[in-house]
Amino acid sequence: MKYKNVVFDFGNVIGRFDGRYMLEQFCQSPKDCDLLMPVVYARWQELDKGTVGYEEYVEHTVSAVPARLEETVRSFFRGWPELVSPIPDTAELIEELCGRNVPVYLLSNAPTYFAEWASGCEMLRKFSGTVFSAPLKMAKPDPQIYRYLFETFSLKPEECFFIDDLEENIRAGRALGMDGIVFKGNIREVKTALGMM
């Protein structure tokens, strides 16, 4: 292993976040889904940053849809975290790292509602530390949230390796001295970069 610590993103690294698929599970028809997609996800980045409250966002979204779809929207906002399905290869990598006594950390952009839900997630109990964006009112790729991770858990950036599905988030980590890889689903590529192969 080339690194002392491995830092994971959550969405599309640990769990699959597919916005359309999740919304479809609450809609009666593809037409309803088409109508709701742009409204439901319009300001999701603000949810991730915590610059808008979760309930406030829900009510704002409800007010922007036809009355017949109000309950669909409310159901979605209550239930979507359950639909972020685990990515098996990543789960295995986390197990392997923990088996080698390599500390794993989480650095994820996510709304407060998801952060609360994830606190009961079995897999995250294996993590030495977790950082979710919305409760801190900052989000990747803002350097502040990376510094928060390093300072809170006394980590040296150069001893950490970051796995995230977005290039800009990896670039931001590199600018602070933390190496990383853009995750495209190829776990062998990740293991090779970590020096595990």
Side-chain angles (χ1 to χ4, degrees):
M1 276 284 294
K2 290 195 226 171
Y3 306 88
K4 287 189 179 174
N5 312 287
V6 181
V7 183
F8 289 83
D9 175 32
F10 198 104
N12 296 321
V13 175
I14 291 175
R16 199 163 277 106
F17 183 100
D18 181 334
R20 185 169 183 96
Y21 166 78
M22 293 191 303
L23 190 54
E24 278 173 346
Q25 308 317 301
F26 298 91
C27 291
Q28 298 293 316
S29 69
K31 194 175 170 185
D32 285 352
C33 194
D34 290 341
L35 181 72
L36 291 179
M37 275 290 289
V39 188
V40 163
Y41 294 110
R43 293 161 59 209
W44 199 272
Q45 283 183 318
E46 289 176 53
L47 269 186
D48 280 351
K49 274 188 186 168
T51 51
V52 60
Y54 195 77
E55 290 309 320
E56 183 191 337
Y57 189 91
V58 174
E59 293 311 316
H60 174 81
T61 307
V62 164
S63 71
V65 303
R68 68 181 182 81
L69 292 174
E70 287 179 6
E71 192 46 46
T72 301
V73 169
R74 289 189 195 281
S75 296
F76 168 80
F77 278 105
R78 280 194 302 269
W80 71 268
E82 301 286 344
L83 296 165
V84 179
S85 55
I87 296 172
D89 282 351
T90 307
E92 282 175 28
L93 174 61
I94 291 165
E95 286 290 345
E96 190 174 337
L97 289 166
C98 291
R100 293 183 182 205
N101 295 314
V102 177
V104 292
Y105 294 87
L106 184 83
L107 179 61
S108 181
N109 286 354
T112 49
Y113 187 75
F114 186 81
E116 287 158 15
W117 175 86
S119 65
C121 179
E122 185 64 39
M123 189 186 297
L124 292 190
R125 295 199 180 115
K126 298 178 172 70
F127 281 61
S128 298
T130 60
V131 174
F132 282 107
S133 58
L136 300 173
K137 295 192 165 35
M138 50 178 149
K140 298 175 294 181
D142 182 344
Q144 266 189 291
I145 197 166
Y146 296 80
R147 290 194 189 103
Y148 178 89
L149 171 79
F150 302 143
E151 286 161 19
T152 303
F153 301 108
S154 304
L155 302 174
K156 293 178 181 172
E158 64 276 10
E159 294 179 350
C160 299
F161 187 84
F162 187 33
I163 305 163
D164 194 290
D165 65 318
L166 297 176
E167 175 70 46
E168 61 264 33
N169 294 341
I170 295 296
R171 269 203 310 270
R174 284 207 178 109
L176 296 169
M178 175 171 64
D179 199 4
I181 192 169
V182 180
F183 185 65
K184 297 188 172 85
N186 185 340
I187 215 76
R188 284 184 64 84
E189 193 179 16
V190 175
K191 285 184 166 186
T192 300
L194 282 168
M196 293 172 74
M197 298 294 283

